[in-house]
């Protein structure tokens, strides 16, 4: 796959290892110096508010995604979490998905492609999780597993995670939840520069990031760029071939803030070249060779917004967002099949997908009364997919070529989605808040043209309403109780309706234009408590989903169909207590999850999800004002119990339990704590393990070092 890239790696391998040793040594010196300073301190200082990390929900965070308006996290009726810049610095992640792995209810999976990780929420696969960047949808119309997180973590201000259906406010795909990635914008000074270098010893990989930003007289701007080059992953068993990848991220933002209005435009590009490892056990029987690579996956977007505040006594805000986005993906799938001792079939499949998306939102916030807040909105998303698939098949008898065929298929398909939504929030007596929501969506999809004689052009139209109702009560100091009913839905994508796929196996998967939308009903209750020292957040939820889209065996391969149902029961919890005089916070977070799966031919509780998983640790955080520095450390364990996945043909897979011990250390220093160094020692005991959601082994014992500054 990477013929133009791989030959250069041996030439620079020695240089990269030397640079890595130098970076590790520098990080060690920088970390030991403030530790020595701490040892000299004799008088205890007043503890500052500590960053609790994504493993413990901070209820004082302000979130926008949960209600499309600014609310304290403790006041929103849904289950939500925030990962901010401090979290990303203290436990640096090479990709966005890994930054979310400790959020209760979230699982990370890679599908043998380490450079394109995705997330599941509450057991729902990536195609049922909506991904937003600055509130704007990342659409993926030709994928089995949803949209990947195609953005560099260094460019992120914070990530807001909504767990459970959020279709009333955000539409299709939001059955499992929403990931809203909010990027960095301008600054307070006319010009500032931010730069960092991250090294991951499990891949001998470096990420370099540079950004210039600032603001003056209402104007604000930011330009940034990063380059990420990761080699093959090393697990506890050694190096794994075909796991290297490269990414590049560039972005520019320009905005203007007036007293009652704000405007902004953005442009961003993300490019990646990804290897995909063939998981152990993929080949066997008649399938003797399988290789899948993604030499190109890139995203380009131009967008803008305008916001007007305090328009009148009735209209508190009007906001308009619009964007144009292109996503291009190239895939190569090489398959070798040996149906008997004499015959060999080699098949080279190459696909190029080009998807253009136009999207926009117009939202009006109304205040009919000081205790009554109404949101009215309109969403539009127009997707245009051009796909080409080439199949080169050769049949051999022994070593003699006896047949050769070449096919090239083109597809031109569109999906237009329009929706209106309403959210009605009432502040009631006795500290109650009631939030009601409704959304109506209209979808029209069409296969406009194809040269595949097995398919017919045609159109499909559908509409669907969803509802939500949430209630919070804050009648006890520092405490909020919540209850929520919400509905989710997901319309089938263009691949499932009209195109199908030849990737991912030796048999093709055929489309089905008669598919119904997936739907779900979610019920949950929860509580949040935060008195500044003790922080608790717990949610109990039940979800009933119907008309799941999956594949079933048909003559000549597989076909998409609606047969699956799933009932999900779960508990998500996080807790932490800060001993201010010791600057220590013991904490724990975790998820209990049970899913029952019914496909008509199979009814099982063995769905491949661990029943228990979570994180347990103790965090140290101390600010030393006289020395102009902050010190932090985090010793923690991640763990999950074993899992089993049963299939309709009577086979099953078992996933072993696992646990890892990890340590993060770091310091921020300077007048504004603008310089930082962090060192994460991960999987210290060198466990050989694979998570249930992933297809390949996780890294063995390794270190991630990040050094950065802003000036």
């Amino acid at each position: 796959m990477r013929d133009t890239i791989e030959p250069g790696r041996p030439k620079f391998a020695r240089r990269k290892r030397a640079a890595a040793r130098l970076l590790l040594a520098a990080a060690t010196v920088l970390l030991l110096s403030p530790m020595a300073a701490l040892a000299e301190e004799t008088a205890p200082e007043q503890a500052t508010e500590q960053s609790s990390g994504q493993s413990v929900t901070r209820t004082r965070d302000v979130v926008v995604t949960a209600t499309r308006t600014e609310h304290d996290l403790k006041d929103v009726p849904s289950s939500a979490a925030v990962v901010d810049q401090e979290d990303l610095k203290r436990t640096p992640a090479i990709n966005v998905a890994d930054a979310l792995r400790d959020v209760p209810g979230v699982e990370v999976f890679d599908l043998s492609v380490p450079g394109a990780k995705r997330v599941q929420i509450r057991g729902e696969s990536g195609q049922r999780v909506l991904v937003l960047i600055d509130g704007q949808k990342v659409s993926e119309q030709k994928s089995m597993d949803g949209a990947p997180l195609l953005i560099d973590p260094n460019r992120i201000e914070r990530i807001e995670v909504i767990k459970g259906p959020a279709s009333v406010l955000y539409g299709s795909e939001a059955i499992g939840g929403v990931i809203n990635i909010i990027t960095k914008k301008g600054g307070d000074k006319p010009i500032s520069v931010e730069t960092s270098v991250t090294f991951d010893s499990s891949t001998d990989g470096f990420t370099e990031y540079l950004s210039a930003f600032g603001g003056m007289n209402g104007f604000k701007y930011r330009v940034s760029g990063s380059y990420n080059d990761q080699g093959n992953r090393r697990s506890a068993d050694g190096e794994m071939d075909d796991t290297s990848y490269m990414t590049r991220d560039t972005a520019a933002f320009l905005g203007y803030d007036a007293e009652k209005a704000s405007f902004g435009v953005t442009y961003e590009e993300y490019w990646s070249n990804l290897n995909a490892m063939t998981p152990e056990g993929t080949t066997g029987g008649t399938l003797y060779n399988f290789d899948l690579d993604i030499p190109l996956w890139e995203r380009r977007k131009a967008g803008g917004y305008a916001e007007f505040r305090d328009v009148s006594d009735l209209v508190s805000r009007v906001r308009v967002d619009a964007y144009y986005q292109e996503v291009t993906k190239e895939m190569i799938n090489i398959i070798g099949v040996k149906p008997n001792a004499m015959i060999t079939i080699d098949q080279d499949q190459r696909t190029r997908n080009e998807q253009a998306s136009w999207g926009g939102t117009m939202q009006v916030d109304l205040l009919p009364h000081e205790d009554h807040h109404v949101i009215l909105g309109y969403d539009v998303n127009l997707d245009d997919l051009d796909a080409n698939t080439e199949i080169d098949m050769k049949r051999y008898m022994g070593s003699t070529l006896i047949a050769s065929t070449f096919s090239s298929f083109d597809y031109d398909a569109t999906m237009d989605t329009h929706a209106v939504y309403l959210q009605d929030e009432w502040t009631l007596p006795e500290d109650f808040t009631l939030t009601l929501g409704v959304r109506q969506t209209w979808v029209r999809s069409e296969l406009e043209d194809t040269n595949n004689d097995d398919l017919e052009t045609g159109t499909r139209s559908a509409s669907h309403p969803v509802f939500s109702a949430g209630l919070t009560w804050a009648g006890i100091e520092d405490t909020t109780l919540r209850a929520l009913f919400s509905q989710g839905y997901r319309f089938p994508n263009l691949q499932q309706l009209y195109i199908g796929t030849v990737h991912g196996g030796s048999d093709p998967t055929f489309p089905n234009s008669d598919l119904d939308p997936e739907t779900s009903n979610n019920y949950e209750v929860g509580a949040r408590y935060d008195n500044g020292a003790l922080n608790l957040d717990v949610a109990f939820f039940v979800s009933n989903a119907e008309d799941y889209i999956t594949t079933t065996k048909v003559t000549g391969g597989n076909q998409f169909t609606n047969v699956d149902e799933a009932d999900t029961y779960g508990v998500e919890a996080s807790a932490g207590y800060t001993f201010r005089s010791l600057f220590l916070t013991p904490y724990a977070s975790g998820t209990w999850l049970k899913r029952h799966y019914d496909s008509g031919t199979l009814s099982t509780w063995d769905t491949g999800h661990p029943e228990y998983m979570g994180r347990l640790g103790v965090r140290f955080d101390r600010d030393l004002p006289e020395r102009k520095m902050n010190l932090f450390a985090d010793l923690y364990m991640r763990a999950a119990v074993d899992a089993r996945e049963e299939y309709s043909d009577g086979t099953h897979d078992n996933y072993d339990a696992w646990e890892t011990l990890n340590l993060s250390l770091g310091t921020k220093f300077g007048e504004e704590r603008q310089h930082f160094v962090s060192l994460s020692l991960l999987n210290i005991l060198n466990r050989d393990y694979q998570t249930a959601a992933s297809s390949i082994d996780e890294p063995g014992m390794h270190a991630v070092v990040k050094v950065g500054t802003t000036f």
Side-chain angles (χ1 to χ4, degrees):
M1 166 191 135
R2 298 174 58 176
D3 294 339
T4 61
I5 298 173
E6 289 292 348
R9 287 189 180 275
K11 178 180 179 180
F12 296 106
R14 187 176 303 172
R15 195 175 303 169
K16 287 179 63 177
R17 285 194 293 269
R21 286 193 290 268
L22 180 62
L23 184 62
L24 280 168
T28 302
V29 171
L30 287 170
L31 288 172
L32 288 178
S33 297
M35 294 298 178
L38 177 63
E40 296 174 4
E41 293 288 328
T42 56
E45 301 165 10
Q46 182 66 32
T48 57
E49 184 174 344
Q50 300 185 23
S51 172
S52 56
Q54 67 266 36
S55 53
V56 179
T57 303
R58 293 182 296 267
T59 63
R60 303 179 193 275
D61 281 329
V62 174
V63 295
V64 177
T65 311
T67 59
R68 279 194 181 265
T69 58
E70 289 190 359
H71 276 73
D72 287 344
L73 179 56
K74 65 182 179 63
D75 296 327
V76 301
S78 58
S79 295
V82 177
V83 178
D84 64 16
Q85 282 192 70
E86 286 302 307
D87 300 325
L88 295 171
K89 287 179 180 178
R90 294 177 181 224
T91 309
I94 304 301
N95 56 71
V96 178
D98 282 338
L100 301 172
R101 64 182 302 172
D102 291 314
V103 174
V106 173
E107 291 181 82
V108 176
F109 66 100
D110 54 34
L111 290 174
S112 305
V113 188
K117 292 184 178 181
R118 300 172 174 89
V119 297
Q120 301 177 357
I121 299 180
R122 292 185 171 178
E124 301 291 0
S125 68
Q127 63 185 346
R128 300 182 183 99
V129 174
L130 179 63
V131 177
L132 307 172
I133 297 180
D134 290 323
Q136 299 170 346
K137 181 178 180 179
V138 180
S139 180
E140 179 62 69
Q141 288 288 348
K142 198 170 185 295
S143 170
M144 298 284 283
D145 309 291
L149 304 168
L150 302 179
I151 186 172
D152 176 28
N154 288 291
R155 203 155 60 79
I156 295 173
E157 177 76 24
R158 69 183 188 275
I159 307 171
E160 297 182 1
V161 182
I162 308 303
K163 295 174 282 186
S167 292
V168 164
L169 292 179
Y170 292 100
S172 185
E173 280 95 71
I175 285 182
V178 178
I179 306 292
N180 189 13
I181 300 168
I182 299 168
T183 60
K184 299 174 182 176
K185 301 298 191 299
D188 298 327
K189 302 175 182 178
I191 184 169
S192 298
V193 175
E194 178 185 8
T195 184
S196 67
V197 177
T198 307
F199 170 72
D200 185 344
S201 71
S202 70
T203 58
D204 285 339
F206 281 89
T207 303
E208 299 92 14
Y209 171 76
L210 178 64
S211 175
F213 62 97
M216 185 172 59
N217 298 329
F219 287 95
K220 53 186 179 180
Y221 69 92
R222 181 180 289 264
V223 291
S224 65
S226 67
Y227 181 72
N228 178 21
D229 185 0
Q230 305 294 318
N232 283 332
R233 177 187 293 182
R234 285 190 295 274
S235 71
D237 278 344
E239 182 173 323
M240 297 183 288
D241 293 334
D242 295 326
T243 54
S244 61
Y245 64 93
M246 301 173 66
T247 68
R248 184 173 62 241
D249 185 297
T250 56
F253 165 80
L254 177 64
Y256 178 75
D257 288 337
E259 182 181 356
K260 293 186 177 182
S262 296
F263 308 91
V265 292
T266 61
Y267 180 78
E268 53 194 43
E269 292 186 4
Y270 183 93
W271 170 92
S272 63
N273 179 309
L274 315 172
N275 274 315
M277 180 183 181
T278 302
E280 184 178 353
T282 300
T283 58
T286 62
L287 183 64
Y288 75 91
N289 183 33
F290 184 91
D291 186 50
L292 176 65
D293 292 316
I294 307 174
L296 175 67
W297 202 340
E298 66 178 352
R299 181 181 65 86
R300 298 179 180 178
K301 187 181 82 170
Y305 68 86
E307 180 175 295
F308 304 91
R309 298 175 292 275
D310 300 327
V311 179
S312 69
D313 291 340
L314 175 63
V315 180
S316 63
R317 188 181 70 138
V318 175
R319 182 178 174 99
V320 178
D321 286 84
Y323 65 94
Y324 172 74
Q325 183 168 255
E326 293 179 348
V327 177
T328 303
K329 178 169 60 175
E330 294 181 358
M331 300 181 67
I332 302 173
N333 197 180
I334 298 174
I335 297 172
V337 180
K338 197 171 183 65
N340 56 53
M342 296 296 296
I343 300 298
T344 300
I345 302 172
D346 289 337
Q347 185 167 288
D348 186 338
Q349 306 167 349
R350 296 173 183 262
T351 293
R352 180 180 174 90
N353 303 324
E354 297 179 353
Q355 180 179 314
S357 300
W358 295 261
T361 301
M362 180 175 180
Q363 180 174 304
V364 179
D365 296 10
L366 306 175
L367 285 174
H369 184 270
E370 63 180 359
D371 295 328
H372 187 195
H373 188 185
V374 178
I375 294 174
L376 297 171
Y378 166 71
D379 273 346
V380 60
N381 192 84
L382 311 176
D383 291 331
D384 188 339
L385 175 66
D386 290 323
N388 171 262
T389 297
E390 296 179 348
I391 304 174
D392 187 3
M393 183 181 297
K394 292 181 171 58
R395 184 184 295 265
Y396 297 87
M397 179 174 288
S399 59
T400 303
L401 178 66
I402 59 175
S404 178
T405 61
F406 177 82
S407 303
S408 179
F409 300 109
D410 295 308
Y411 309 91
D412 186 1
T414 61
M415 179 175 287
D416 298 344
T417 304
H418 302 265
V420 292
Y421 60 88
L422 166 70
Q423 181 172 272
D424 194 8
E425 180 182 302
W426 291 83
T427 301
L428 304 175
E430 305 297 332
D431 299 305
F432 283 98
T433 301
L434 176 66
T435 305
L436 305 174
V438 60
R439 183 188 189 97
Q440 179 69 43
T441 303
W442 297 268
V443 176
R444 183 184 184 276
S445 60
E446 180 178 6
L447 180 59
E448 296 180 346
D449 189 30
T450 181
N451 63 347
N452 189 336
D453 295 334
D454 294 330
L455 302 178
E456 294 183 0
T457 59
T459 63
R460 169 83 185 276
S461 297
S463 64
H464 192 77
V466 288
F467 305 90
S468 67
L471 184 68
T472 63
W473 180 68
I476 302 175
E477 186 179 3
D478 302 320
T479 304
T480 303
L481 306 181
R482 66 186 190 273
L484 177 69
F485 166 76
S486 58
Q487 293 183 311
Y489 70 95
R490 174 183 173 271
F491 282 105
N493 61 30
L494 294 174
Q495 173 176 270
Q496 295 166 334
L497 287 169
Y498 302 117
I499 301 173
T501 181
V502 295
H503 293 283
S506 57
D507 295 325
T509 300
F510 302 116
N512 182 353
S513 60
D514 295 324
L515 291 171
D516 293 323
E518 302 174 331
T519 61
S520 70
N521 292 322
N522 180 75
Y523 313 84
E524 67 177 84
V525 295
R528 300 184 179 102
Y529 177 83
D530 187 354
N531 67 0
L534 177 62
N535 186 308
L536 301 171
D537 191 345
V538 61
F540 304 83
F541 63 90
V542 176
S543 177
N544 309 121
E546 297 182 349
D547 291 324
Y548 265 25
I549 298 172
T550 186
T551 58
T552 57
K553 285 286 185 182
V554 296
T555 302
N558 306 287
Q559 186 175 37
F560 292 109
T561 186
N562 293 105
V563 297
D564 295 339
E565 299 178 1
D567 294 325
T568 306
Y569 308 86
V571 179
E572 297 159 350
S574 66
Y577 184 83
T578 299
F579 295 92
R580 291 186 175 274
S581 61
L582 300 175
F583 309 96
L584 292 176
T585 303
Y587 66 89
S589 63
T591 306
W592 173 80
L593 185 74
K594 289 284 287 184
R595 282 170 65 86
H596 183 263
Y597 185 77
D598 190 346
S599 65
T601 59
L602 174 67
S603 179
T604 182
W605 289 94
D606 296 327
T607 60
H609 299 279
E611 188 171 349
Y612 300 97
M613 62 185 303
R615 171 170 167 164
L616 175 69
V618 59
R619 183 178 293 108
F620 172 86
D621 193 332
R622 184 174 182 182
D623 197 63
L624 303 173
E626 293 183 359
R627 297 184 180 273
K628 302 176 183 178
M629 66 173 59
N630 170 274
L631 303 176
F632 57 88
D634 192 355
L635 179 65
Y636 60 97
M637 181 181 72
R638 292 183 176 124
V641 300
D642 58 354
R644 173 187 167 100
E645 186 168 10
E646 186 176 355
Y647 304 102
S648 57
D649 61 1
T651 62
H652 66 271
D653 284 326
N654 292 320
Y655 308 104
D656 293 335
W658 58 268
E659 69 285 327
T660 63
L661 181 64
N662 313 274
L663 174 64
S664 295
L665 303 167
T667 180
K668 297 184 297 179
F669 54 97
E671 288 285 350
E672 300 176 357
R673 311 299 188 267
Q674 70 272 28
H675 316 299
F676 72 91
V677 180
S678 65
L679 169 64
S680 292
L681 304 175
L682 305 174
N683 194 6
I684 294 172
L685 302 180
N686 201 32
R687 299 296 194 196
D688 180 17
Y689 76 104
Q690 176 180 318
T691 67
S694 294
S695 304
I696 58 178
D697 288 347
E698 295 296 316
M701 180 177 62
H702 66 290
V704 178
V705 182
K706 186 169 186 176
V707 178
T709 185
T710 301
F711 57 90

